[in-house]
């Protein structure tokens, strides 16, 4: 299976909102509600910020939200803060009992 | 609290083997599966597979069969990744991550850097 498709980079100013897309197929993103998102700061381990498409783990800011339409999932970050500058990865369960990551998106807060 | 503590960094020669450990605490080890994720320098995350700790049954992703071996020891709540016949392309940070199901990887180790160089 191929990796999920994410934009290489997005940017926004403090206080603005941005959306990162994650495109797959009906065999992964479109076929299951098992999409998760991870935030990774440089030199650090990834951190789960969204699971089951739109659920947030305890302790994750409600500025992070997720959604899905067809074969594309999206992560929206509202009220951008400087600490949101990081790499973001989507992940989905895929047919055949496997997990797929997206290629990652670098968020720059201008 | 949930903790996943990985063994340190490794410098290995091509053809050698390496065994990375991921010691867990703060939860019932056998009620979770343990995943391995690779991140090559400057690259994205790549799911390598997981091990169902209750039975020790591993599942390997495409591209990670043959030289890669997952194992676990429930007595010490630890999972292991062994890579045999190392190649330069194996140079990467390797993360262990806990998953309660296919839904998420909810806790991660700090990563172990493996450098393969002659």
């Amino acid at each position: 299976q191929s990796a999920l498709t994410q934009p290489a980079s997005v940017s926004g100013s403090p206080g603005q909102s941005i959306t990162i897309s994650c495109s797959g197929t009906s065999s992964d993103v479109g076929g299951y509600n098992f999409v998760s998102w991870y935030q990774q700061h440089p030199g650090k381990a990834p951190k789960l910020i969204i699971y089951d498409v739109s659920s947030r783990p305890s302790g994750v800011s409600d500025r992070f939200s997720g959604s899905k339409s067809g074969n594309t999932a999206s992560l929206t970050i509202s009220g951008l803060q400087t600490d949101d500058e990081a790499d973001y990865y989507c992940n989905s369960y895929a047919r055949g009992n496997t997990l797929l990551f997206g290629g990652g998106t670098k968020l720059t807060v201008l | 609290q949930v903790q996943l503590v990985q063994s340190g960094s490794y410098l290995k020669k091509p053809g050698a083997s390496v065994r990375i450990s991921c010691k867990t605490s703060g939860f019932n080890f056998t009620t979770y599966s343990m995943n391995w994720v690779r991140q090559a320098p400057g690259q994205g995350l790549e799911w390598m597979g997981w091990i169902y700790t209750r039975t020790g049954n591993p599942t390997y992703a495409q591209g990670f069969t043959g030289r890669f071996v997952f194992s676990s020891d429930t007595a010490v709540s630890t999972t292991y990744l062994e890579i045999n016949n190392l190649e330069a392309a194996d140079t990467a940070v390797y993360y262990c991550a806990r998953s309660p199901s296919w839904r998420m990887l909810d806790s991660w180790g700090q990563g172990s850097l493996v450098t393969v160089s002659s």
Side-chain angles (χ1 to χ4, degrees):
Chain A
Q1 289 107 334
S2 301
L4 307 175
T5 301
Q6 298 181 230
S9 63
V10 298
S11 62
S13 300
Q16 288 186 332
S17 295
I18 62 94
T19 297
I20 299 171
S21 61
C22 171
S23 296
T25 70
S26 58
S27 296
D28 39 69
V29 173
Y32 310 91
N33 288 323
F34 294 155
V35 176
S36 52
W37 289 88
Y38 302 85
Q39 177 193 59
Q40 186 180 35
H41 286 108
K44 301 295 187 181
K47 173 189 173 185
L48 175 69
I49 56 173
I50 295 288
Y51 67 97
D52 290 354
V53 176
S54 60
S55 297
R56 277 187 310 277
S58 174
V60 173
S61 171
D62 59 4
R63 298 186 299 104
F64 294 90
S65 62
S67 62
K68 190 183 83 167
S69 178
N71 296 336
T72 299
S74 298
L75 171 71
T76 297
I77 309 174
S78 59
L80 271 177
Q81 300 178 358
T82 54
D83 188 54
D84 296 333
E85 187 161 293
D87 294 326
Y88 292 84
Y89 294 90
C90 62
N91 179 276
S92 175
Y93 173 79
R95 187 180 302 161
N97 286 349
T98 191
L99 292 177
L100 292 176
F101 278 103
T105 298
K106 181 178 180 58
L107 168 62
T108 301
V109 180
L110 302 169
Chain B
Q1 73 279 25
V2 174
Q3 286 193 308
L4 286 69
V5 180
Q6 298 184 225
S7 49
S9 299
Y10 302 86
L11 175 59
K12 295 288 186 178
K13 294 188 184 302
S17 296
V18 67
R19 191 192 198 204
I20 302 167
S21 65
C22 172
K23 183 169 178 57
T24 73
S25 60
F27 64 96
N28 187 339
F29 183 67
T30 58
T31 60
Y32 291 83
S33 291
M34 296 300 297
N35 299 257
W36 289 96
V37 175
R38 182 172 76 178
Q39 187 168 37
Q43 302 299 309
L45 304 174
E46 191 173 14
W47 184 71
M48 302 173 64
W50 72 355
I51 184 165
Y52 186 52
T53 55
R54 187 179 297 272
T55 62
N57 183 45
T59 297
Y60 300 97
Q62 286 183 11
F64 294 100
T65 56
R67 298 188 300 114
F68 300 84
V69 180
F70 307 150
S71 60
S72 64
D73 185 340
T74 57
V76 290
S77 301
T78 300
T79 191
Y80 304 92
L81 165 64
E82 182 172 355
I83 310 173
N84 298 306
N85 194 18
L86 283 161
E87 306 169 352
D90 295 323
T91 295
V93 175
Y94 293 84
Y95 293 100
C96 62
R98 183 185 84 162
S99 59
S101 68
W102 291 110
R103 300 159 62 198
M104 68 188 89
L105 303 175
D106 65 352
S107 292
W108 294 64
Q110 82 277 20
S112 295
L113 173 63
V114 175
T115 303
V116 183
S117 174
S118 55

